[in-house]
Amino acid sequence: MGWTENSIMGRTAVAQGKVGAQHRLSEEDQGEFHYVYGPYSKPVMRIAPGDVVEVDTLDAFGGVIKTEADLPSKVLNMPFVNPQNGPIAVEGAEKGDVLAVYIHSLLPRGPQPAGTTALIPGFGALVADMNMMLNAPMAERVKKMEVTPEGGVKFSDRVTLPYEPFVGTMGVSPEIEAVSSLQPDYWGGNMDCPDVAPGAVIYFPVQRKDAHFFIGDCHGRQGDGELCGVAVEIPATVTVQIDLIKGWSIPGVRIETEEFIMSLGSARPMEDAARMAYRDLVRWLVADYGFEESEAYFLATQAGKMRVGNMVDPKYTLGASILKKYIEQ
Protein backbone atom coordinates (compact mmCIF):
# COMPACT_ATOMS: atom_id res chain seq x y z
CA MET A 1 0.00 0.00 0.00
CA GLY A 2 2.94 2.36 0.54
CA TRP A 3 2.42 5.57 2.50
CA THR A 4 -1.38 5.33 2.34
CA GLU A 5 -1.29 2.51 4.89
CA ASN A 6 -0.61 5.17 7.53
CA SER A 7 -2.79 7.84 5.93
CA ILE A 8 -6.06 8.99 7.48
CA MET A 9 -7.80 6.76 4.94
CA GLY A 10 -5.62 3.77 5.80
CA ARG A 11 -6.11 4.18 9.55
CA THR A 12 -9.77 5.14 9.80
CA ALA A 13 -11.74 4.24 6.64
CA VAL A 14 -14.15 1.32 6.37
CA ALA A 15 -11.86 -0.62 4.03
CA GLN A 16 -8.74 0.86 5.69
CA GLY A 17 -7.37 1.66 2.28
CA LYS A 18 -7.41 -1.95 1.10
CA VAL A 19 -8.27 -2.42 -2.58
CA GLY A 20 -11.72 -3.87 -3.24
CA ALA A 21 -13.56 -4.80 -6.41
CA GLN A 22 -12.51 -3.34 -9.76
CA HIS A 23 -14.99 -1.39 -11.90
CA ARG A 24 -14.82 0.38 -15.24
CA LEU A 25 -16.93 3.37 -16.28
CA SER A 26 -16.41 3.87 -20.00
CA GLU A 27 -17.74 6.75 -22.05
CA GLU A 28 -20.39 4.38 -23.42
CA ASP A 29 -21.34 3.14 -19.94
CA GLN A 30 -21.67 6.72 -18.71
CA GLY A 31 -24.09 7.65 -21.49
CA GLU A 32 -25.39 11.06 -20.42
CA PHE A 33 -22.77 13.31 -18.87
CA HIS A 34 -23.78 15.83 -16.20
CA TYR A 35 -23.23 19.57 -15.93
CA VAL A 36 -24.45 20.06 -12.36
CA TYR A 37 -23.56 18.59 -9.00
CA GLY A 38 -26.78 17.66 -7.26
CA PRO A 39 -28.89 14.88 -5.75
CA TYR A 40 -31.31 14.50 -8.66
CA SER A 41 -29.36 12.30 -11.07
CA LYS A 42 -29.65 8.51 -11.05
CA PRO A 43 -26.33 6.81 -10.18
CA VAL A 44 -24.57 5.06 -13.05
CA MET A 45 -22.79 2.69 -10.70
CA ARG A 46 -22.94 1.45 -7.12
CA ILE A 47 -19.76 0.47 -5.32
CA ALA A 48 -18.57 -0.61 -1.88
CA PRO A 49 -15.94 1.24 0.18
CA GLY A 50 -12.48 0.32 -1.06
CA ASP A 51 -13.55 -0.37 -4.63
CA VAL A 52 -11.50 0.95 -7.54
CA VAL A 53 -13.10 2.63 -10.54
CA GLU A 54 -11.43 3.33 -13.89
CA VAL A 55 -13.24 6.27 -15.50
CA ASP A 56 -13.10 7.59 -19.07
CA THR A 57 -13.61 11.35 -18.88
CA LEU A 58 -14.21 13.94 -21.59
CA ASP A 59 -12.24 17.17 -21.69
CA ALA A 60 -13.82 20.34 -20.32
CA PHE A 61 -15.19 21.18 -23.79
CA GLY A 62 -16.84 17.80 -24.29
CA GLY A 63 -14.45 17.09 -27.15
CA VAL A 64 -15.99 19.57 -29.58
CA ILE A 65 -12.82 21.66 -30.02
CA LYS A 66 -10.99 19.37 -32.43
CA THR A 67 -8.71 21.85 -34.17
CA GLU A 68 -7.31 25.33 -33.58
CA ALA A 69 -9.94 26.65 -35.99
CA ASP A 70 -12.79 25.53 -33.68
CA LEU A 71 -13.31 28.73 -31.69
CA PRO A 72 -15.17 28.28 -28.38
CA SER A 73 -17.73 30.97 -29.24
CA LYS A 74 -18.68 28.99 -32.35
CA VAL A 75 -18.72 25.38 -31.08
CA LEU A 76 -19.57 25.48 -27.37
CA ASN A 77 -23.16 25.35 -26.12
CA MET A 78 -22.94 27.32 -22.89
CA PRO A 79 -23.50 26.49 -20.08
CA PHE A 80 -23.07 22.85 -21.11
CA VAL A 81 -19.32 22.63 -20.47
CA ASN A 82 -17.23 20.76 -17.91
CA PRO A 83 -19.03 17.41 -18.35
CA GLN A 84 -18.93 15.10 -15.35
CA ASN A 85 -18.98 11.32 -15.02
CA GLY A 86 -21.19 9.77 -12.37
CA PRO A 87 -22.77 9.99 -10.02
CA ILE A 88 -21.27 6.92 -8.37
CA ALA A 89 -23.18 5.73 -5.31
CA VAL A 90 -21.08 4.53 -2.37
CA GLU A 91 -22.71 1.96 -0.09
CA GLY A 92 -23.07 3.03 3.52
CA ALA A 93 -22.26 6.70 2.99
CA GLU A 94 -24.41 9.09 5.02
CA LYS A 95 -24.40 12.79 5.83
CA GLY A 96 -21.67 13.43 8.37
CA ASP A 97 -19.28 10.90 6.87
CA VAL A 98 -16.29 11.57 4.61
CA LEU A 99 -15.55 10.11 1.20
CA ALA A 100 -11.84 9.34 0.78
CA VAL A 101 -10.73 9.27 -2.86
CA TYR A 102 -7.22 8.04 -3.63
CA ILE A 103 -6.10 8.91 -7.17
CA HIS A 104 -4.07 6.01 -8.57
CA SER A 105 -3.38 7.27 -12.09
CA LEU A 106 -4.43 9.72 -14.80
CA LEU A 107 -3.57 9.09 -18.45
CA PRO A 108 -4.51 10.98 -21.64
CA ARG A 109 -6.77 9.10 -24.03
CA GLY A 110 -7.89 9.57 -27.61
CA PRO A 111 -6.01 10.95 -30.64
CA GLN A 112 -3.25 13.52 -30.43
CA PRO A 113 -2.99 16.44 -30.01
CA ALA A 114 -5.00 15.58 -26.89
CA GLY A 115 -4.46 18.87 -25.03
CA THR A 116 -6.51 22.01 -25.56
CA THR A 117 -6.26 25.48 -24.09
CA ALA A 118 -8.04 28.62 -25.21
CA LEU A 119 -8.58 32.33 -24.80
CA ILE A 120 -12.32 32.80 -24.36
CA PRO A 121 -13.84 36.30 -24.68
CA GLY A 122 -14.58 37.83 -21.29
CA PHE A 123 -13.09 34.90 -19.36
CA GLY A 124 -9.77 34.81 -17.53
CA ALA A 125 -7.95 36.64 -14.77
CA LEU A 126 -6.37 39.35 -16.94
CA VAL A 127 -9.27 40.33 -19.20
CA ALA A 128 -12.23 42.64 -18.84
CA ASP A 129 -15.55 41.10 -17.91
CA MET A 130 -17.80 41.79 -20.89
CA ASN A 131 -20.81 42.07 -18.59
CA MET A 132 -19.22 44.93 -16.64
CA MET A 133 -16.69 46.71 -18.85
CA LEU A 134 -16.72 48.66 -22.10
CA ASN A 135 -13.33 47.25 -23.10
CA ALA A 136 -13.26 45.11 -26.20
CA PRO A 137 -12.56 41.42 -25.45
CA MET A 138 -9.16 39.90 -26.11
CA ALA A 139 -8.89 38.04 -29.40
CA GLU A 140 -10.26 34.51 -29.22
CA ARG A 141 -7.72 31.75 -29.77
CA VAL A 142 -7.35 27.97 -29.44
CA LYS A 143 -4.07 26.15 -28.86
CA LYS A 144 -3.75 22.37 -29.32
CA MET A 145 -0.90 20.41 -27.75
CA GLU A 146 0.38 16.86 -27.84
CA VAL A 147 0.24 15.44 -24.30
CA THR A 148 1.93 12.19 -23.27
CA PRO A 149 3.35 10.94 -19.95
CA GLU A 150 6.67 10.18 -21.63
CA GLY A 151 7.08 13.27 -23.81
CA GLY A 152 5.31 15.82 -21.63
CA VAL A 153 3.21 18.71 -22.91
CA LYS A 154 4.53 20.02 -26.24
CA PHE A 155 3.55 23.62 -25.69
CA SER A 156 5.42 24.82 -28.78
CA ASP A 157 8.49 24.11 -30.87
CA ARG A 158 10.39 26.13 -28.29
CA VAL A 159 8.86 24.88 -25.02
CA THR A 160 8.05 21.40 -23.68
CA LEU A 161 6.51 21.24 -20.21
CA PRO A 162 6.41 18.27 -17.82
CA TYR A 163 3.31 16.08 -17.73
CA GLU A 164 1.85 16.87 -14.29
CA PRO A 165 -1.75 15.63 -14.48
CA PHE A 166 -4.56 16.28 -12.03
CA VAL A 167 -8.34 16.23 -11.81
CA GLY A 168 -9.85 19.71 -12.18
CA THR A 169 -13.34 18.83 -10.99
CA MET A 170 -14.47 16.15 -8.55
CA GLY A 171 -16.65 15.91 -5.50
CA VAL A 172 -19.89 14.76 -3.93
CA SER A 173 -23.48 15.83 -4.36
CA PRO A 174 -24.78 18.70 -2.23
CA GLU A 175 -27.72 17.76 -0.04
CA ILE A 176 -30.38 19.78 -1.89
CA GLU A 177 -28.74 22.19 -4.35
CA ALA A 178 -28.10 21.50 -8.00
CA VAL A 179 -25.02 23.60 -8.81
CA SER A 180 -23.09 24.12 -12.04
CA SER A 181 -20.04 21.89 -12.45
CA LEU A 182 -18.11 25.10 -13.15
CA GLN A 183 -18.38 26.13 -9.49
CA PRO A 184 -16.33 24.91 -6.51
CA ASP A 185 -17.45 24.87 -2.88
CA TYR A 186 -17.49 22.70 0.25
CA TRP A 187 -18.61 19.63 -1.76
CA GLY A 188 -15.66 19.92 -4.15
CA GLY A 189 -16.54 20.71 -7.75
CA ASN A 190 -14.39 22.80 -10.10
CA MET A 191 -11.49 23.45 -7.72
CA ASP A 192 -8.73 23.29 -10.37
CA CYS A 193 -6.17 22.55 -7.67
CA PRO A 194 -3.04 20.85 -9.08
CA ASP A 195 -2.63 18.88 -5.84
CA VAL A 196 -5.73 16.81 -6.69
CA ALA A 197 -3.29 14.53 -8.46
CA PRO A 198 -2.16 10.92 -8.65
CA GLY A 199 -0.72 9.88 -5.29
CA ALA A 200 -3.04 12.10 -3.24
CA VAL A 201 -6.08 11.24 -1.12
CA ILE A 202 -8.90 13.76 -1.37
CA TYR A 203 -11.45 13.95 1.47
CA PHE A 204 -15.00 15.17 0.79
CA PRO A 205 -17.74 15.82 3.39
CA VAL A 206 -20.70 13.59 2.49
CA GLN A 207 -23.96 15.56 2.22
CA ARG A 208 -26.51 12.85 1.32
CA LYS A 209 -27.13 9.11 1.42
CA ASP A 210 -24.72 7.16 -0.85
CA ALA A 211 -22.60 10.33 -1.34
CA HIS A 212 -23.10 10.45 -5.17
CA PHE A 213 -19.54 11.04 -6.39
CA PHE A 214 -18.83 12.99 -9.61
CA ILE A 215 -15.55 13.35 -11.53
CA GLY A 216 -14.36 15.01 -14.76
CA ASP A 217 -12.33 17.87 -16.25
CA CYS A 218 -8.85 16.30 -16.24
CA HIS A 219 -5.77 18.38 -16.94
CA GLY A 220 -2.35 17.55 -18.37
CA ARG A 221 -0.91 20.36 -16.28
CA GLN A 222 -1.68 23.88 -15.06
CA GLY A 223 0.13 26.77 -13.43
CA ASP A 224 -1.06 28.29 -10.18
CA GLY A 225 -4.24 30.30 -10.68
CA GLU A 226 -5.26 28.85 -14.07
CA LEU A 227 -4.57 32.37 -15.32
CA CYS A 228 -6.41 32.48 -18.67
CA GLY A 229 -9.17 30.25 -17.28
CA VAL A 230 -8.27 27.14 -19.29
CA ALA A 231 -5.62 24.59 -18.31
CA VAL A 232 -4.21 21.89 -20.62
CA GLU A 233 -7.61 20.24 -20.94
CA ILE A 234 -7.47 16.54 -21.85
CA PRO A 235 -9.81 13.58 -22.24
CA ALA A 236 -8.45 11.03 -19.81
CA THR A 237 -8.70 7.68 -18.13
CA VAL A 238 -8.45 8.29 -14.41
CA THR A 239 -8.36 5.49 -11.82
CA VAL A 240 -9.61 6.22 -8.31
CA GLN A 241 -10.01 4.14 -5.17
CA ILE A 242 -13.00 5.26 -3.11
CA ASP A 243 -13.23 4.58 0.61
CA LEU A 244 -15.51 5.83 3.39
CA ILE A 245 -14.74 7.31 6.80
CA LYS A 246 -17.69 7.14 9.18
CA GLY A 247 -18.48 10.01 11.51
CA TRP A 248 -15.64 12.37 10.60
CA SER A 249 -17.31 15.77 10.19
CA ILE A 250 -15.25 18.20 8.12
CA PRO A 251 -16.48 21.54 6.73
CA GLY A 252 -14.96 21.23 3.28
CA VAL A 253 -12.44 19.49 1.08
CA ARG A 254 -9.12 18.29 2.47
CA ILE A 255 -6.10 16.72 0.77
CA GLU A 256 -3.46 14.38 2.12
CA THR A 257 -0.23 13.34 0.41
CA GLU A 258 2.83 11.54 1.71
CA GLU A 259 4.43 14.91 2.51
CA PHE A 260 1.64 17.30 3.56
CA ILE A 261 -1.96 17.94 4.53
CA MET A 262 -4.02 20.70 2.87
CA SER A 263 -7.36 22.40 3.47
CA LEU A 264 -9.20 24.00 0.54
CA GLY A 265 -11.34 27.12 0.64
CA SER A 266 -13.54 28.32 -2.23
CA ALA A 267 -14.96 31.85 -2.15
CA ARG A 268 -14.76 35.36 -3.55
CA PRO A 269 -12.91 37.60 -2.87
CA MET A 270 -9.67 35.62 -2.90
CA GLU A 271 -8.69 36.62 0.64
CA ASP A 272 -11.86 34.97 1.94
CA ALA A 273 -10.89 31.71 0.22
CA ALA A 274 -7.46 32.00 1.87
CA ARG A 275 -9.03 32.65 5.26
CA MET A 276 -11.37 29.68 4.90
CA ALA A 277 -8.51 27.39 3.98
CA TYR A 278 -6.20 28.51 6.78
CA ARG A 279 -9.02 28.50 9.35
CA ASP A 280 -9.77 24.88 8.55
CA LEU A 281 -6.08 23.95 8.60
CA VAL A 282 -5.69 25.50 12.07
CA ARG A 283 -8.78 23.69 13.36
CA TRP A 284 -7.56 20.43 11.78
CA LEU A 285 -4.26 20.78 13.65
CA VAL A 286 -6.18 21.29 16.89
CA ALA A 287 -8.71 18.48 16.41
CA ASP A 288 -6.46 15.73 15.03
CA TYR A 289 -2.85 16.63 15.82
CA GLY A 290 -3.08 17.79 19.43
CA PHE A 291 -2.14 21.45 19.01
CA GLU A 292 -3.60 24.21 21.14
CA GLU A 293 -5.38 26.76 18.93
CA SER A 294 -2.97 29.69 19.35
CA GLU A 295 0.00 27.36 18.86
CA ALA A 296 -1.57 26.01 15.64
CA TYR A 297 -2.18 29.60 14.50
CA PHE A 298 1.49 30.42 15.13
CA LEU A 299 2.64 27.29 13.32
CA ALA A 300 0.46 27.93 10.26
CA THR A 301 1.82 31.47 10.15
CA GLN A 302 5.45 30.34 10.16
CA ALA A 303 5.25 27.08 8.17
CA GLY A 304 2.05 27.19 6.13
CA LYS A 305 2.01 27.24 2.32
CA MET A 306 -0.73 28.72 0.13
CA ARG A 307 -1.65 27.18 -3.24
CA VAL A 308 -3.79 29.16 -5.70
CA GLY A 309 -5.94 26.60 -7.51
CA ASN A 310 -7.98 28.93 -9.68
CA MET A 311 -8.65 32.66 -9.74
CA VAL A 312 -11.17 32.63 -12.59
CA ASP A 313 -14.15 30.44 -11.60
CA PRO A 314 -17.39 31.70 -10.02
CA LYS A 315 -15.55 31.09 -6.73
CA TYR A 316 -11.77 31.05 -6.33
CA THR A 317 -10.11 28.01 -4.74
CA LEU A 318 -7.05 28.27 -2.50
CA GLY A 319 -5.31 25.56 -0.50
CA ALA A 320 -3.52 26.01 2.84
CA SER A 321 -1.00 23.26 3.60
CA ILE A 322 1.65 22.24 6.11
CA LEU A 323 4.33 19.58 5.91
CA LYS A 324 3.66 16.43 7.92
CA LYS A 325 7.22 16.44 9.28
CA TYR A 326 6.32 19.47 11.41
CA ILE A 327 3.13 18.04 12.91
CA GLU A 328 3.78 14.32 13.28
CA GLN A 329 6.89 14.56 15.44
Side-chain angles (χ1 to χ4, degrees), residues 79-121:
F80 296 98
V81 292
N82 213 22
Q84 299 293 295
N85 295 74
I88 296 171
V90 182
E91 293 177 1
E94 301 174 296
K95 186 176 181 179
D97 297 337
V98 164
L99 212 62
V101 181
Y102 176 52
I103 305 175
H104 280 268
S105 63
L106 196 166
L107 297 171
R109 70 183 185 94
Q112 294 288 354
T116 306
T117 192
L119 300 179
I120 299 174

Side-chain angles (χ1 to χ4, degrees), residues 6-279:
N6 294 315
S7 67
I8 299 167
M9 178 183 71
R11 290 183 283 107
T12 65
V14 171
Q16 295 186 309
K18 295 181 175 63
V19 175
Q22 307 283 321
H23 306 266
R24 176 161 172 75
L25 183 56
S26 68
E27 188 175 335
E28 293 72 27
D29 293 333
Q30 176 64 42
E32 179 185 0
F33 284 78
H34 299 286
Y35 301 93
V36 297
Y37 275 46
Y40 308 111
S41 300
K42 182 179 178 181
V44 295
M45 179 181 292
R46 187 173 186 85
I47 67 170
D51 286 1
V52 173
V53 187
E54 183 182 82
V55 184
D56 286 345
T57 68
L58 302 177
D59 70 15
F61 305 115
V64 300
I65 299 181
K66 301 183 185 303
T67 73
E68 293 186 349
D70 295 325
L71 298 181
S73 64
K74 304 299 183 183
V75 300
L76 296 183
N77 180 22
M78 297 295 290
F80 296 98
V81 292
N82 213 22
Q84 299 293 295
N85 295 74
I88 296 171
V90 182
E91 293 177 1
E94 301 174 296
K95 186 176 181 179
D97 297 337
V98 164
L99 212 62
V101 181
Y102 176 52
I103 305 175
H104 280 268
S105 63
L106 196 166
L107 297 171
R109 70 183 185 94
Q112 294 288 354
T116 306
T117 192
L119 300 179
I120 299 174
F123 183 58
L126 299 182
V127 301
D129 187 323
M130 292 189 299
N131 296 316
M132 298 181 183
M133 304 292 183
L134 292 173
N135 306 61
M138 194 171 180
E140 193 171 14
R141 182 184 172 190
V142 169
K143 186 177 184 67
K144 302 289 287 189
M145 293 159 283
E146 184 175 322
V147 180
T148 62
E150 304 80 15
V153 177
K154 293 187 177 179
F155 180 81
S156 67
D157 291 339
R158 178 181 178 181
V159 177
T160 297
L161 301 169
Y163 179 65
E164 296 177 347
F166 69 98
V167 182
T169 307
M170 64 191 299
V172 295
S173 168
E175 184 174 19
I176 190 170
E177 304 102 311
V179 185
S180 168
S181 59
L182 290 172
Q183 177 152 305
D185 212 308
Y186 59 87
W187 59 82
N190 192 27
M191 301 173 292
D192 291 320
C193 178
D195 297 294
V196 182
V201 182
I202 322 301
Y203 299 104
F204 298 98
V206 174
Q207 305 297 314
R208 57 149 296 154
K209 179 178 171 59
D210 296 335
H212 284 201
F213 174 73
F214 294 84
I215 185 170
D217 181 34
C218 292
H219 298 165
R221 67 167 294 112
Q222 175 202 293
D224 283 2
E226 198 183 28
L227 189 62
C228 82
V230 185
V232 179
E233 311 290 341
I234 59 171
T237 297
V238 55
T239 302
V240 293
Q241 180 179 337
I242 302 174
D243 213 330
L244 179 66
I245 301 174
K246 299 294 294 182
W248 185 33
S249 294
I250 61 177
V253 182
R254 293 174 175 176
I255 300 174
E256 181 183 13
T257 72
E258 186 173 7
E259 292 82 22
F260 64 81
I261 61 171
M262 176 183 285
S263 293
L264 297 184
S266 295
R268 280 200 186 197
M270 186 178 288
E271 55 264 34
D272 282 355
R275 290 185 182 110
M276 291 171 65
Y278 264 128
R279 179 187 64 180

